Amino acid sequence: MASSSSSLAPAKAIHVIAPHENVHAQKLPVSIFLAGSIEMGKAPEWQKEIISTLAHHPFAIYNPRRGPEFKWEAGNNALFKEQVDWEHKHLSESSIIAMFISGETKAPISLMEMGMFATSGRLIVACEKNFWRLGNVEWVCRYYGITLVYTLDDLIVEVEKRAKQIESGRFTVKKSHEVSGPTMSVLESPWTYALAAAGLAVGVGLARVRR
């Protein structure tokens, strides 16, 4: 388990927000979306470890993982629409997107989301070395300058570093997909569409797989 190495002041306890909660936490200094492997419970519950480790920080954490009672169905299913709308909204608004890709999963939706937000400047990725498309993930992260690590512990360390930069004003997150500096808007690059489409294609081929 990674130990906290940052000097962020624990002004408040962490605020975890679930998909069924219409809660906004813009007043907190840092908001984090936990993107990555779920795959109908096949992936380990890595979200709990991040939340536990960061519990002493005043962060808002958006956790899309639902319990085993949640039945994932596409189409006109109202719960499906609610979940996807909620995820996209907070992926777009969170100051940090922390993505963990488990080597035990195929992660088609995670790959799609990586493509959608590759140029946002807010993405931090951890991809286990036994992931079946590790080389593709490495290439995308290298090309777009995305921080990439290979373990959950290292992801937590990088998230804390980024949060400290945001709180100190050394990293300024702009509205929606835009970030200060030379990074282009996510919607300006055709390559992000290509990666998103590739992820979606994998998802179609892996029917009934959540992530």
Side-chain angles (χ1 to χ4, degrees), residues 70-184:
F70 179 71
K71 303 301 181 183
W72 190 256
E73 297 178 11
N76 295 323
N77 183 278
L79 193 57
F80 172 85
K81 184 178 185 303
E82 175 191 24
Q83 176 83 14
V84 175
D85 287 348
W86 183 91
E87 290 185 14
H88 184 266
K89 174 180 174 59
H90 295 296
L91 277 163
S92 299
E93 295 180 352
S94 294
S95 49
I96 298 172
I97 300 172
M99 178 174 287
F100 176 73
I101 302 177
S102 169
E104 300 174 17
T105 63
K106 299 298 184 184
I109 305 303
S110 299
L111 294 177
M112 181 182 70
E113 290 171 348
M114 181 186 294
M116 291 173 66
F117 293 93
T119 60
S120 69
R122 296 179 289 112
L123 188 60
I124 303 173
V125 176
C127 184
E128 293 187 321
K129 290 190 175 181
N130 61 331
F131 182 62
W132 72 310
R133 287 292 182 263
L134 174 65
N136 297 85
V137 172
E138 289 178 324
W139 187 92
V140 169
C141 290
R142 182 171 61 250
Y143 187 86
Y144 288 107
I146 299 168
T147 298
L148 172 66
V149 294
Y150 297 96
T151 67
L152 182 59
D153 286 350
D154 286 342
L155 176 63
I156 294 170
V157 170
E158 293 300 325
V159 167
E160 287 190 293
K161 286 180 183 177
R162 179 68 57 81
K164 184 176 180 180
Q165 292 173 339
I166 292 171
E167 287 198 323
S168 66
R170 290 183 287 120
F171 186 96
T172 304
V173 178
K174 294 185 178 180
K175 292 182 180 179
S176 188
H177 304 298
E178 296 180 9
V179 64
S180 63
T183 304
M184 68 178 68

Side-chain angles (χ1 to χ4, degrees), residues 26-40:
Q26 288 93 343
K27 291 184 179 180
L28 293 177
V30 175
S31 57
I32 304 166
F33 189 95
L34 302 182
S37 299
I38 296 176
E39 205 150 308
M40 296 295 287

